[in-house]
Amino acid sequence: MQNKKENNYAFIDSQNLYLAIKELGWKLDYKRFRVYLKEKYAVSKAYMFLGYLAENQEMYKFLQEVGFILIFRPILEKDGKPIKGNCDVDLALHLLTNIDNYDKVVLITGDGDFCMLVKHLKENDKLAKVLAPSHKSCSVLLRKATGNKIAFIEDLKIKLAYKKKSTP
């Protein structure tokens, strides 16, 4: 358990998180995940980077209500269908421009594109943990960069999986 006086931020690569958990065959309970980040890592702000789709308003509202701060990026379309909403640069820029506002970072991704960012955070004693969604989808480059500061969300399935509420 981290010191409650810490002021840590989470930066979430939502596409990476969503797709990796979906591939594992379960759904993440985002409300419980937000509580977990606060209790385990003293995360005061959790930034979620995602592509914007107008039809997802209800989901965006829910994520904000449970405590995530959403940072949107326009999604590229081809033939009227969404194909890409890559937020990696947005996440890295936001993380670095706010570096004086937090004690440490919890980075949620399995993407190897973040290995240099992780190295920078470690060198500046700003990395609390990398939470990769799954062992299988986690980049070898990211694993090497994090060393012992990595954990896997799939190992927390019992705590964080969405469970349908039974109806009486």
Side-chain angles (χ1 to χ4, degrees), residues 10-167:
F11 293 88
I12 304 165
D13 178 353
S14 67
Q15 180 80 352
N16 185 273
L17 173 62
Y18 173 77
L19 291 175
I21 296 298
K22 182 180 177 185
E23 186 177 305
L24 292 170
W26 55 280
K27 292 182 180 180
L28 183 65
D29 184 325
Y30 285 92
K31 184 175 182 179
R32 288 167 61 196
F33 183 50
R34 181 63 184 97
V35 170
Y36 174 80
L37 291 172
K38 182 178 181 180
E39 291 178 354
K40 176 74 175 176
Y41 297 106
V43 169
S44 62
K45 292 186 179 183
Y47 292 96
M48 184 176 283
F49 294 81
L50 62 168
Y52 180 81
L53 291 171
E55 60 267 24
N56 288 342
Q57 291 304 313
E58 194 173 312
M59 179 186 69
Y60 301 149
K61 182 180 178 196
F62 167 75
L63 290 170
Q64 290 172 319
E65 286 172 355
V66 299
F68 293 98
I69 300 164
L70 307 184
I71 309 290
F72 294 109
R73 176 166 180 98
I75 291 182
L76 297 176
E77 293 185 2
K78 183 175 184 178
D79 300 326
K81 295 182 181 179
I83 57 167
K84 191 155 181 76
N86 195 334
C87 298
D88 294 0
V89 172
D90 300 42
L91 186 155
L93 183 62
H94 198 80
L95 184 153
L96 291 170
T97 57
N98 284 283
I99 203 159
D100 294 330
N101 298 333
Y102 54 79
D103 295 322
K104 294 194 185 241
V105 164
V106 177
L107 179 62
I108 294 103
T109 189
D111 190 338
D113 290 346
F114 291 108
C115 70
M116 291 305 294
L117 182 62
V118 166
K119 286 179 183 177
H120 176 77
L121 291 168
K122 280 179 69 177
E123 288 167 1
N124 291 281
D125 195 31
K126 287 286 194 173
L127 182 67
K129 190 70 84 174
V130 169
L131 292 177
S134 78
H135 294 270
K136 181 181 175 186
S137 69
C138 184
S139 162
V140 173
L141 293 172
L142 188 63
R143 287 176 196 250
K144 286 181 181 178
T146 57
N148 66 349
K149 290 193 176 249
I150 192 166
F152 297 91
I153 295 170
E154 78 175 298
D155 296 338
L156 303 167
K157 180 179 178 181
I158 292 170
K159 283 185 180 182
L160 300 178
Y162 176 77
K163 296 171 182 73
K164 287 186 180 178
K165 301 202 179 355
S166 58
T167 53

